Amino acid sequence: MQALQRVQPLQRVQPLQQVQPLQLSKYCKFHIAGGGGFTTIPNLFNKPCLWTNDYRIYNEIPLNPLSRKIFKKIIWSKNKKKLAFSDYLKLPYSHHHVHYRNNELDFLENTPKEIYEAGKNFLQNIKKNNKNLSSIQKKFNKYVIKRYIKMYSDL
């Protein structure tokens, strides 16, 4: 809430629609995005970013060590069974491409509670400047990089 209060004076000076994304990205302390809008510009300024409702694991990798992503739940369209995230990661490159569209998979939005918890953790990490990754995050990052290299070398 305090962060939002700091944005209000900016709105009084100039309507938010007229403020350029570059200006916002340059002067913000962090960025939270939910699957739309300007998501890569804060990376140019090395800002910590929290991406919510993400499902494109291999197209953008957070550059700032404080950045995090939370992913949508993935289900099979025909039987509505949940697809384990680890199994989703193993799908062929075509399923991860930015232009991938088909009727095999559905992606369920993050719940408000998931976003709240991720946001709370994200802001605590920024406040403490905690750049340490948990062991599961380190393992995940190693796997994604190995898989990324394999997918692109198989093209």
Side-chain angles (χ1 to χ4, degrees):
M1 192 55 110
Q2 290 175 339
L4 183 60
Q5 290 170 344
R6 286 187 221 127
V7 173
Q8 289 173 347
L10 180 62
Q11 290 174 330
R12 282 188 224 120
V13 172
Q14 186 174 5
L16 196 53
Q17 306 91 298
Q18 295 176 2
V19 176
Q20 298 298 317
L22 280 170
Q23 291 172 302
L24 285 173
S25 294
K26 182 176 181 180
Y27 296 108
C28 72
K29 293 193 184 272
F30 60 86
H31 179 80
I32 299 176
F38 65 101
T39 58
T40 55
I41 295 174
N43 271 333
L44 294 172
F45 297 103
N46 196 30
K47 301 295 180 173
C49 299
L50 172 63
W51 286 276
T52 65
N53 287 309
D54 204 343
Y55 61 99
R56 300 289 184 215
I57 289 106
Y58 301 104
N59 353 332
E60 61 185 1
I61 296 171
L63 301 178
N64 186 295
L66 292 169
S67 293
R68 300 291 186 270
K69 286 186 174 192
I70 56 173
F71 298 98
K72 292 183 177 188
K73 306 272 183 304
I74 305 143
I75 60 173
W76 291 107
S77 299
K78 65 181 177 182
N79 63 14
K80 303 300 179 198
K81 288 188 178 181
K82 185 178 176 184
L83 176 64
F85 193 69
S86 56
D87 292 332
Y88 175 64
L89 292 172
K90 295 173 188 172
L91 290 175
Y93 172 76
S94 60
H95 286 73
H96 300 286
H97 190 275
V98 70
H99 296 296
Y100 171 75
R101 300 280 186 266
N102 88 11
N103 296 328
E104 282 183 77
L105 301 173
D106 287 326
F107 298 91
L108 304 177
E109 301 278 319
N110 298 131
T111 66
K113 184 177 179 174
E114 289 170 330
I115 295 171
Y116 173 79
E117 290 298 325
K120 189 169 120 179
N121 184 273
F122 175 66
L123 293 175
Q124 287 172 350
N125 283 342
I126 291 171
K127 189 176 185 178
K128 295 176 184 176
N129 197 28
N130 181 8
K131 297 177 183 174
N132 298 325
L133 298 177
S134 69
S135 61
I136 197 165
Q137 287 170 320
K138 289 177 185 176
K139 188 176 178 181
F140 173 76
N141 288 352
K142 282 182 185 178
Y143 178 83
V144 167
I145 290 169
K146 282 168 113 175
R147 181 83 175 114
Y148 190 74
I149 291 166
K150 180 170 178 21
M151 280 196 302
Y152 281 98
S153 64
D154 289 348
L155 290 179

